[in-house]
Structure formats: structure tokens, C-alpha cells
């Protein structure tokens, strides 16, 4: 598996590539990049909101974040991972677990 965060944001696994255009907009790319950099660490939802929207997140940021995570899970599944197992939620945090290497 390869994760690209410089120049473009993309994921490649077993010959299948998910290019940045497939990620759900600017926030989707930021979400994936942020979680990839923090790989394995449970990241609090409010920390992700600050990373995605800055100091003035929209009033509906909680729902918007949930939708972005759902779309990202689908893309991870398309790349050959088990999306719900790769991107987990617990105790108000999201955690991206990628294969070793």
C-alpha cells in the first residue's frame, strides 16, 4: 500500500488507485491526509474540525464530519481495505489504521 501526501493526496493498494479527485472535496483530502499523518492515533472529532474548517467551523460540522468519514470509508473499501475496520470511531475520536509498511 502506498499513501501519497505530497503533490497529490492519493492511496494505492494492490494496483488499485484512489486519486485525490475521488476524495470528497478539499475537506475530504484534508481529513485523509490528517488521519494518515496521525496513523494509529485516535484523533478527537473537535481536533479534526479545527484542522478541516479552522477556527470557525460550520454550525453543522459534526454532521459534515460524519458524512466525510463515511465517504472516506467507502473509498478505503474501493482501495481493497475493509473501510469500517480501517477507519474506526470510538470515544469521540477517529482512528485510521493502515497495513504495516
Amino acid at each position: 500500500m502506498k499513501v501519497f501526501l505530497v503533490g497529490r493526496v492519493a492511496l494505492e493498494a494492490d494496483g488499485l488507485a484512489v486519486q485525490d479527485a475521488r476524495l470528497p472535496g478539499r475537506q475530504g483530502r484534508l481529513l485523509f491526509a490528517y488521519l494518515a499523518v496521525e496513523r494509529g492515533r485516535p484523533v478527537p472529532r473537535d481536533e479534526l474540525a479545527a484542522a478541516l474548517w479552522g477556527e470557525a467551523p460550520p454550525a453543522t460540522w459534526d454532521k459534515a464530519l460524519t458524512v466525510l468519514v463515511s465517504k472516506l470509508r467507502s473509498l478505503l473499501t474501493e482501495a481493497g481495505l475493509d473501510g469500517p475496520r480501517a477507519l474506526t470511531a470510538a470515544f469521540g475520536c477517529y482512528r485510521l489504521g493502515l497495513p504495516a509498511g
Side-chain angles (χ1 to χ4, degrees), residues 2-13 16-23 29-30 32-33 36:
K2 295 179 184 178
V3 174
F4 301 90
L5 300 176
V6 177
R8 64 183 171 123
V9 177
L11 172 67
E12 194 175 287
L16 299 171
V18 175
Q19 300 297 330
D20 59 355
R22 297 270 321 187
L23 291 164
R29 290 188 300 277
L30 284 171
F32 175 69

Side-chain angles (χ1 to χ4, degrees), residues 32-92:
F32 175 69
Y34 199 92
L35 290 171
V37 168
E38 298 294 336
R39 177 180 155 191
R41 178 177 80 88
V43 182
R45 292 174 62 86
D46 58 343
E47 181 179 333
L48 289 171
L52 299 179
W53 292 286
E55 294 182 18
T60 58
W61 72 265
D62 192 49
K63 179 66 176 169
L65 181 58
T66 300
V67 169
L68 288 170
V69 167
S70 177
K71 289 179 180 181
L72 185 52
R73 282 184 179 131
S74 294
L75 290 173
L76 291 169
T77 299
E78 283 182 32
L81 297 174
D82 181 351
R85 290 189 66 150
L87 180 51
T88 58
F91 306 108

